[in-house]
């Protein structure tokens, strides 16, 4: 089996555990930084697994749902700027997950 790091440089590796830890530790200063890490994770998935693999198909579905929810958060944040806090995103994401 190929080594993940043969395809993805270690400093570019992302996974949901790392993203969740960064959210919980308030390491994201903007929603854009959070989204960029998520998108990097999905792009790494495509690069390592191939765009048509079952893993990448699942990744694409996850990405579509993620971006739809981010869109809703951004719309809500324009009405109430405090909703844009990455810390609030972490607390909201931690419920039931």
């Amino acid at each position: 089996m190929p080594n993940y790091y043969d395809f993805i440089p270690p400093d570019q590796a992302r996974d949901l555990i790392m993203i969740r830890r960064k959210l919980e530790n308030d390491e994201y200063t903007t929603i854009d930084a959070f989204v960029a890490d998520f998108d990097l994770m999905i792009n790494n998935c495509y690069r390592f697994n191939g765009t048509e693999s079952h893993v990448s198909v699942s990744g694409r579905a996850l990405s579509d749902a993620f971006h739809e929810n981010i869109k809703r958060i951004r719309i809500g944040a324009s009405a109430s700027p405090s909703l844009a806090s990455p810390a609030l995103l972490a607390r909201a994401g931690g419920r039931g997950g």
Side-chain angles (χ1 to χ4, degrees), residues 1-96:
M1 176 172 218
N3 184 337
Y4 183 77
Y5 296 113
D6 290 340
F7 292 83
I8 309 299
D11 65 329
Q12 295 294 306
R14 297 294 183 279
D15 60 44
L16 289 173
I17 293 169
M18 178 187 292
I19 291 170
R20 183 176 186 151
R21 180 187 47 77
K22 288 174 78 172
L23 278 168
E24 291 172 345
N25 293 328
D26 292 326
E27 294 179 40
Y28 293 114
T29 58
T30 66
I31 291 175
D32 290 337
F34 169 58
V35 171
D37 261 5
F38 181 87
D39 288 342
L40 179 58
M41 177 189 71
I42 295 297
N43 287 327
N44 289 347
C45 171
Y46 299 155
R47 188 174 183 186
F48 182 72
N49 297 293
T51 57
E52 300 306 315
S53 73
H54 70 281
V55 174
S56 292
V57 170
S58 295
R60 193 170 304 113
L62 177 63
S63 180
D64 290 347
F66 173 83
H67 282 282
E68 184 59 36
N69 282 295
I70 289 295
K71 183 176 167 184
R72 289 184 190 137
I73 289 168
R74 289 183 193 274
I75 290 168
S78 66
S80 176
S82 65
L83 291 176
S85 164
L88 284 177
L89 287 173
R91 285 191 287 281
R95 284 182 282 155

